[in-house]
Amino acid sequence: MELIRAKDYADMSRKAANIIFAQVVLNPKSVLGLATGDTPLGTYAQLIEKQKAGDCSFAQCSSYNLDEYVGLSADHPQSYHYFMRTNFFDAVDIDAANTHVPDGAAADVEAACTEYDRMVAAAGYPDLQLLGIGRNGHIGFNEPGDTFPRGTHVVDLTESTIEANSRLFDSIDEVPRQAISMGIQTIMSAHRILILASGEQKAQAVHDMVLGPITPQVPASILQLHPACTVIADEAALALC
Ligand code: GLP
């Protein structure tokens, strides 16, 4: 695991965008694994600027997102489909047909999970997978548990994740209780991983991911075993490291 220390959120976002920018310039047909949440927003904003300035193009890229809430349609304002469209896809030159987010509104979510894994595998897995980290050490929606989930699967969200994500909904009762998430095996199959963390509320999770034992109780700790994983965290998130 390589650790890049950033000063603050803006510095973390610039550093992350520079790495993704280089990936896309070096391989215009990159398969990108993408994440939602507040953490990557600054990175997406930087990439939008670079593309608009003509410094890179996503026209030949494809993307696979990590997760989606069960029960929210793609046009629901709190869905991760909507998040990706409004915060990245619509602002850059990526072909919408080449962007993929798990289908939380599928009639058969189990079949949608199997199909998503097939598609990610057929694409050869992401050249670069962008990740954030939950306060409890989750990645995607792989919550702490007794085992590392393998493929894309349906997850029962923990109370701490429901509470943390309720800030984006009108009330906590509106937060879906389940999500579809790429599994740990799928995430670990990415050729390169970039995980971002900002703020003191992530300090314990970052400490446990980087310095703690590898355990499904801290899903991000498995990243210690990935051969090309870079952590970019700011000073507040590194307070315990
Ligand atoms: C959600 C997402 C994760 C994300 C995490 C942290 O649970 N499923 O992919 O990394 O929250 O979000 P934030 O970046 O807003 O702190």
Side-chain angles (χ1 to χ4, degrees):
M1 225 175 201
E2 176 194 28
L3 178 61
I4 297 179
R5 292 173 180 270
K7 192 169 168 307
D8 51 22
Y9 181 81
D11 189 31
M12 176 200 76
S13 302
R14 267 195 310 273
K15 286 174 161 59
N18 284 339
I19 291 173
I20 300 170
F21 170 71
Q23 168 68 42
V24 171
V25 169
L26 290 169
N27 177 6
K29 296 184 177 174
S30 289
V31 178
L32 300 173
L34 298 177
T36 55
D38 289 342
T39 310
L41 276 177
T43 305
Y44 291 142
Q46 294 273 326
L47 288 171
I48 291 166
E49 270 185 37
K50 286 178 191 294
Q51 195 264 301
K52 293 232 179 295
D55 293 334
C56 68
S57 170
F58 298 94
Q60 298 181 76
C61 290
S62 58
S63 71
Y64 292 85
N65 260 77
L66 281 170
D67 46 16
E68 178 59 287
Y69 289 113
V70 168
L72 299 194
S73 62
D75 54 6
H76 189 289
Q78 267 77 40
S79 73
Y80 286 169
H81 275 86
Y82 188 89
F83 175 102
M84 289 307 300
R85 276 207 312 278
T86 51
N87 290 300
F88 190 55
F89 296 152
D90 285 355
V92 293
D93 61 349
I94 196 163
D95 182 346
N98 293 334
T99 65
H100 307 85
V101 180
D103 184 3
D108 183 343
V109 280
E110 299 293 345
C113 291
T114 307
E115 172 59 8
Y116 202 70
D117 268 338
R118 192 200 60 72
M119 286 195 302
V120 180
Y125 294 104
D127 294 298
L128 190 153
Q129 174 68 57
L130 181 64
L131 296 175
I133 184 168
R135 295 178 204 176
N136 60 4
H138 74 241
I139 48 177
F141 268 131
N142 292 281
E143 297 278 30
D146 297 332
T147 56
F148 289 110
R150 293 164 70 90
T152 301
H153 59 294
V154 178
V155 188
D156 293 326
L157 300 178
T158 63
E159 282 308 316
S160 103
T161 298
I162 291 167
E163 191 270 317
N165 290 357
S166 66
R167 68 189 190 281
L168 303 169
F169 291 79
D170 288 338
S171 86
I172 195 164
D173 297 333
E174 289 181 19
V175 186
R177 268 38 188 175
Q178 287 189 314
I180 293 178
S181 179
M182 266 191 203
I184 293 293
Q185 190 177 44
T186 321
I187 293 171
M188 289 291 280
S189 298
H191 301 282
R192 181 165 191 194
I193 293 179
L194 188 57
I195 180 161
L196 311 182
S198 170
E200 62 185 351
Q201 72 279 14
K202 300 293 174 68
Q204 188 66 51
V206 170
H207 168 275
D208 294 350
M209 163 176 69
V210 176
L211 298 173
I214 297 168
T215 164
Q217 291 300 326
V218 182
S221 64
I222 193 85
L223 299 174
Q224 292 175 31
L225 297 178
H226 194 279
C229 178
T230 300
V231 181
I232 308 182
D234 66 12
E235 277 172 15
L238 288 169
L240 302 177
C241 289

